[in-house]
Amino acid sequence: EFPAGDEGYHTYGELTEVLQRADSEHGDIASLSSAGSSYQGRALHLMKISDNVAQDEDEPEVLFTCNQHAREHLTTEMCLRIVERFTDEYGTDPTVTELVNTREIYVIPSVNPDGSEYDIEGGRYKGWRKNRQGYYGTDLNRNWGYKWGCCGGSSGSPYSDTYRGTSAFSAPETRAVASFVESRVVGGSQQIKAHIDFHTYSELVLWPYGYTYSDTTDTMSREEARRFQEVGRKLAASNGYTPQQSSDLYITDGSVNDWMWAEHGILSLTFEMYPASGGGIGGFYPPDERIEPETRRNDEAVDILLTEAGAQP
Ligand SMILES: NS(=O)(=O)N[C@@H](Cc1ccccc1)C(=O)O
Ligand SMILES: [Ca+2]
Ligand SMILES: [Ca+2]
Ligand SMILES: [Ca+2]
Ligand SMILES: [Ca+2]
Ligand SMILES: [Zn+2]
């Protein structure tokens, strides 16, 4: 459980309850399933939100993933905010209603439930980042299969916080989410057009590639790079984060954004949420009073991405 005073954060059990309630109370537009299981057997909850939710309609699909990194609990709350806003405000908020009627929204609130539960075990924060596979865990955001381990943007040491795992997709969690994305290739084309992976912290909007400093590659043309910049800057203007290519921060290899773009042409970005800086490990644990303001802060960005998905080939 969360330490005293931080009860506003959701444990895995509480998260599960909220999702199950949304599914039952909004059955016409919300459908709860699972992308697969974590290493320790927890369901990787997958919520679909759309009109005629039981039908696979020809509407742009958008994916939101959260909590790849265990200690980044604010991101789980961010994905919950998306689920609650697009179910509770459907039929009253015109923007929400229009987006639910014209898009298929997928939300995975916790990609790393094992690590998240371990991080808060005994009501004390451990600063844990990785999953719970093997003795020391794998950094899920270095385990994706595009340019895995290519470029010094991850570690081969199991003790390291950026340990890439024994092979691409060696972690059941990345494998499950990747399989879900692969299942959205229908009639030869990927139905998911855009994606945000939420992290904390630093208040940044990041776009690929992470594995190289160069803006363009054989799989990122000048106009594609310009599209990422344009959308990234628009998103950052709405929430006050700083927009940049992720390698401007540091080189990473095996990150989710690189794989989503290179393998599926998905406009995939990372949001690093509040706080902007300061506090070292403490920055990962903002008091629960920050949950509402810092998740609502991204409402407009979520709407922008859902809208931009309609213009994505
Ligand atoms: N959340 S964080 O502190 O781990 N930072 C992220 C930043 C990041 C995210 C996506 C691509 C490159 C870099 C990380 O995975 O290192
Ligand atoms: Ca509190
Ligand atoms: Ca629909
Ligand atoms: Ca569809
Ligand atoms: Ca519709
Ligand atoms: Zn992170």
Side-chain angles (χ1 to χ4, degrees):
E1 70 282 4
F2 281 88
D6 276 348
E7 293 85 356
Y9 287 96
H10 291 75
T11 64
Y12 180 74
E14 291 162 346
L15 166 68
T16 303
E17 266 173 49
V18 169
L19 296 174
Q20 287 173 340
R21 195 176 326 118
D23 176 276
S24 58
E25 289 176 1
H26 303 275
D28 53 333
I29 58 168
S31 174
L32 179 62
S33 62
S34 162
S37 297
S38 71
Y39 181 74
Q40 293 175 335
R42 293 181 174 86
L44 302 178
H45 295 310
L46 169 67
M47 182 67 94
K48 179 186 179 184
I49 303 168
S50 188
D51 63 340
N52 311 307
V53 71
Q55 317 302 319
D56 178 7
E57 297 189 299
D58 185 17
E59 300 168 326
E61 301 182 16
V62 179
L63 174 64
F64 298 99
T65 51
C66 292
N67 196 219
Q68 275 205 93
H69 290 144
R71 62 195 173 194
E72 301 169 16
H73 302 289
L74 184 62
T75 69
T76 307
E77 305 305 320
M78 182 64 234
C79 272
L80 267 182
R81 166 70 187 162
I82 295 169
V83 170
E84 290 178 336
R85 176 165 172 252
F86 283 94
T87 51
D88 291 345
E89 297 178 27
Y90 182 76
T92 49
D93 179 307
T95 304
V96 164
T97 305
E98 175 63 14
L99 288 170
V100 171
N101 286 342
T102 61
R103 301 288 187 272
E104 290 177 338
I105 304 166
Y106 288 103
V107 188
I108 302 178
S110 182
V111 173
N112 182 9
D114 300 351
S116 184
E117 286 290 282
Y118 174 71
D119 186 52
I120 62 171
E121 209 171 81
R124 280 179 42 265
Y125 293 127
K126 295 175 185 59
W128 189 257
R129 170 187 169 93
K130 300 189 280 182
N131 76 350
R132 295 295 294 158
Q133 189 170 9
Y135 286 104
Y136 305 99
T138 292
D139 180 356
L140 298 182
N141 210 28
R142 302 297 185 277
N143 189 244
W144 295 79
Y146 185 69
K147 302 279 184 186
W148 177 81
C150 72
C151 305
S154 61
S155 172
S157 164
Y159 314 110
S160 167
D161 247 359
T162 57
Y163 177 52
R164 65 177 78 99
T166 51
S167 68
F169 296 120
S170 55
E173 297 88 359
T174 52
R175 181 68 273 164
V177 177
S179 297
F180 166 67
V181 171
E182 286 160 355
S183 78
R184 299 310 310 137
V185 177
V186 178
S189 78
Q190 174 55 253
Q191 301 299 300
I192 300 171
K193 301 301 172 191
H195 164 242
I196 296 176
D197 188 42
F198 288 96
H199 287 258
T200 67
Y201 62 92
S202 292
E203 298 189 4
L204 304 171
V205 173
L206 305 174
W207 58 81
Y209 281 116
Y211 82 90
T212 176
Y213 288 121
S214 58
D215 298 4
T216 58
T217 74
D218 56 332
T219 56
M220 176 77 81
S221 70
R222 178 123 334 264
E223 45 283 339
E224 287 166 335
R226 227 196 319 274
R227 170 85 169 138
F228 268 112
Q229 275 176 36
E230 179 197 318
V231 173
R233 286 170 181 164
K234 202 170 176 185
L235 294 165
S238 77
N239 60 14
Y241 293 2
T242 300
Q244 62 189 82
Q245 183 173 338
S246 50
S247 58
D248 294 347
L249 198 61
Y250 41 76
I251 295 285
T252 57
D253 48 43
S255 79
V256 64
N257 304 129
D258 288 11
W259 183 82
M260 291 278 182
W261 171 253
E263 300 296 345
H264 292 276
I266 295 169
L267 198 73
S268 176
L269 300 102
T270 281
F271 277 27
E272 287 284 357
M273 296 174 69
Y274 174 90
S277 63
I281 208 92
F284 292 110
Y285 301 108
D288 62 359
E289 289 77 11
R290 300 305 311 155
I291 293 172
E292 188 170 341
E294 292 305 326
T295 55
R296 288 167 175 266
R297 180 173 175 185
N298 285 312
D299 284 353
E300 194 185 343
V302 167
D303 295 351
I304 290 167
L305 194 86
L306 285 164
T307 304
E308 290 294 342
Q312 200 63 19

